[in-house]
Amino acid sequence: MTAKECKNGCGRMIEWNNDLRYFQETATGQRHMCPNWKARQTSTFDDNKQKYGSGYTGPSNMDKMEKDLADLGVWKDGMELRMKELENEASRFIELSDALAKELKIKSFKTASDLHEDECGCNEEPIPDESTN
């Protein structure tokens, strides 16, 4: 095999030794251990673990879940308050509806002259009742 310059930029001429299965320096015949060689990262997972694993200070999933649960609690309290308000309003409408129904029932059995007297408070001549004619 022909000699070539080391690809890591150390400036030494090396060649591959098939018998020993490593590069050796052509000038000395010794195994080449390049001073510029750097080991590759085994995986991006290990790389990210080194970068972010130990010093990460952001919120954890548990922190986010606790915040979400707290927000749901506030939302639930607000909804319960609104439900009570709606129940109170519904009770008031039912009371008004019952009062109106009673008033309507009372007036529906009165004659026209009785209704006229109730409304104006006067003692005018009663209006003839149509049912007697």
Side-chain angles (χ1 to χ4, degrees):
M1 180 155 186
T2 59
K4 61 180 183 175
E5 190 173 345
C6 176
K7 67 178 182 174
N8 294 318
C10 68
R12 297 192 179 116
M13 296 300 289
I14 57 172
E15 62 186 0
W16 181 253
N17 185 328
N18 277 332
D19 296 333
L20 301 174
R21 301 184 68 113
Y22 59 75
F23 283 103
Q24 66 184 32
E25 295 178 8
T26 53
T28 63
Q30 294 179 345
R31 183 175 184 167
H32 178 63
M33 304 291 272
C34 185
N36 295 340
W37 183 80
K38 293 180 184 175
R40 288 185 297 178
Q41 291 293 328
T42 56
S43 70
T44 54
F45 173 78
D46 290 337
D47 185 36
N48 289 338
K49 186 176 175 183
Q50 287 175 356
K51 284 182 185 176
Y52 307 113
S54 60
Y56 182 67
T57 58
S60 68
N61 285 340
M62 193 58 139
D63 293 338
K64 185 175 180 338
M65 284 180 12
E66 287 174 358
K67 183 187 178 305
D68 290 347
L69 284 174
D71 290 346
L72 282 173
V74 169
W75 179 82
K76 180 183 167 256
D77 293 343
M79 293 307 293
E80 287 174 348
L81 181 64
R82 183 64 182 135
M83 285 296 294
K84 286 180 184 175
E85 290 172 353
L86 289 172
E87 287 171 0
N88 291 338
E89 286 181 30
S91 295
R92 280 185 280 163
F93 285 130
I94 290 171
E95 289 171 6
L96 288 172
S97 175
D98 289 346
L100 185 60
K102 277 184 187 178
E103 187 68 26
L104 187 60
K105 188 175 185 179
I106 291 169
K107 288 189 176 189
S108 66
F109 289 110
K110 289 187 175 183
T111 62
S113 58
D114 290 340
L115 288 174
H116 174 74
E117 192 175 305
D118 286 349
E119 294 213 1
C120 77
C122 62
N123 281 333
E124 292 180 5
E125 189 68 29
I127 301 170
D129 198 4
E130 296 174 9
S131 60
T132 59
N133 289 342

